[in-house]
Amino acid sequence: MIQFHGAILERLAPLRHPVYLAAMTRVAQSFEDVQAMADEVSRLMVARYGGARRGERPPLHVMLRRRGGALPQKLRRPASQLAEADRISAQPKVARQLDLQGLSRAHAALIGHLRPLGELSRWRGRAISFAASVSFGMLVLAAVILWLMVRRGHL
């Protein structure tokens, strides 16, 4: 199976490249794929909702404990199933009993919800919010200065 690096997928995502779409809708072939799917969901939760320090890559069950409430109600059960399967996949004899089709559907649903809003647009939103805060502060400061000048008789 072909493994794609996350940065490559993020570059291909806006273009709707066929490789990106194929990787997004992948089906788990064995229990070894479950950990990669859980890590991808965890990384997207960190990018969208926060909850991790810079450089930290928490596992999915930790992200669900920290920011699981931010997920829509209908996605919390698939996320918890994927987190539990991630824990179980560490034990190969038990992991062979996992429902890989159900986990693939859960992964696709979570990715479909978490991926549309990219990191660039989130960064742009934070920059616009910061700029709006600074401009509002400058407007209030100008109003106070104008009020003081009128009060002292300079205007």
Side-chain angles (χ1 to χ4, degrees):
M1 184 166 91
I2 298 173
Q3 294 282 330
F4 294 103
H5 192 269
I8 293 172
L9 290 177
E10 288 173 8
R11 267 190 283 137
L12 296 175
L15 305 174
R16 296 289 183 219
H17 195 275
V19 171
Y20 169 76
L21 292 175
M24 187 175 99
T25 58
R26 70 176 177 213
V27 177
Q29 301 295 326
S30 71
F31 65 90
E32 295 161 349
D33 297 337
V34 173
Q35 185 177 8
M37 293 190 313
D39 288 343
E40 183 180 14
V41 170
S42 175
R43 183 180 55 81
L44 288 172
M45 283 184 71
V46 167
R48 184 158 184 170
Y49 301 130
R53 294 182 188 97
R54 181 177 296 160
E56 183 185 11
R57 295 242 171 164
L60 184 57
H61 70 277
V62 172
M63 280 309 300
L64 288 177
R65 188 179 64 236
R66 290 181 187 173
R67 297 285 189 247
L71 284 172
Q73 186 69 35
K74 66 178 184 171
L75 291 178
R76 289 182 193 163
R77 176 172 282 150
S80 64
Q81 289 172 348
L82 191 59
E84 184 63 27
D86 183 31
R87 289 185 195 170
I88 291 174
S89 68
Q91 304 167 356
K93 287 187 178 182
V94 179
R96 288 187 180 94
Q97 301 172 10
L98 291 174
D99 174 26
L100 297 178
Q101 296 296 327
L103 292 174
S104 296
R105 283 192 302 271
H107 174 258
L110 289 163
I111 294 301
H113 173 74
L114 294 170
R115 194 177 292 277
L117 187 58
E119 265 188 66
L120 182 64
S121 60
R122 280 191 289 278
W123 184 85
R124 190 180 319 142
R126 286 192 298 261
I128 289 172
S129 175
F130 176 74
S133 298
V134 169
S135 61
F136 180 72
M138 299 281 281
L139 184 66
V140 168
L141 181 65
V144 168
I145 290 173
L146 187 64
W147 179 76
L148 282 173
M149 289 179 74
V150 168
R151 181 133 170 123
R152 291 184 179 181
H154 294 295
L155 280 180

